[in-house]
Amino acid sequence: MTEWTMIYWKGPAEAALDGLRQFGWRAPGEDPADASDPRIGGFIPPVGQPLVTMEGTAFVAVVANGPIETPAGLTAADPGEARDIIGSF
């Protein structure tokens, strides 16, 4: 059985967009990514959906089955705060 870990990040919208894209996510209206990172089981927001921002800060999450480095420009988000803002799987 594969163990999945929910990883929450926050930061500027551009950093969140770039960070998610490196794992295979795409924003509304963007062409499909070449390939998703095999360690990633899902995204918040889901592929093709807009970012969730609060007071200028974007909140995003990935569920992964292996170590994932925090993308440039993002920091770890408090899981409780992030779940309240964007939800969970």
Side-chain angles (χ1 to χ4, degrees):
M1 187 164 141
T2 302
E3 287 209 28
W4 295 95
T5 301
M6 190 74 150
I7 304 165
Y8 295 96
W9 297 310
K10 65 181 179 178
E14 272 309 310
L17 290 169
D18 291 343
L20 289 179
R21 284 181 185 125
Q22 75 182 359
F23 299 113
W25 181 87
R26 67 183 186 286
E30 290 182 345
D31 290 333
D34 292 335
S36 293
D37 186 312
R39 298 171 296 174
I40 305 298
F43 300 95
I44 296 178
V47 170
Q49 298 296 311
L51 293 178
V52 175
T53 60
M54 178 169 272
E55 298 178 3
T57 299
F59 288 82
V60 298
V62 298
V63 62
N65 65 3
I68 301 291
E69 274 200 42
T70 301
L74 298 178
T75 58
D78 173 82
E81 174 188 36
R83 277 191 300 271
D84 289 346
I85 295 169
I86 61 174
S88 183
F89 291 106

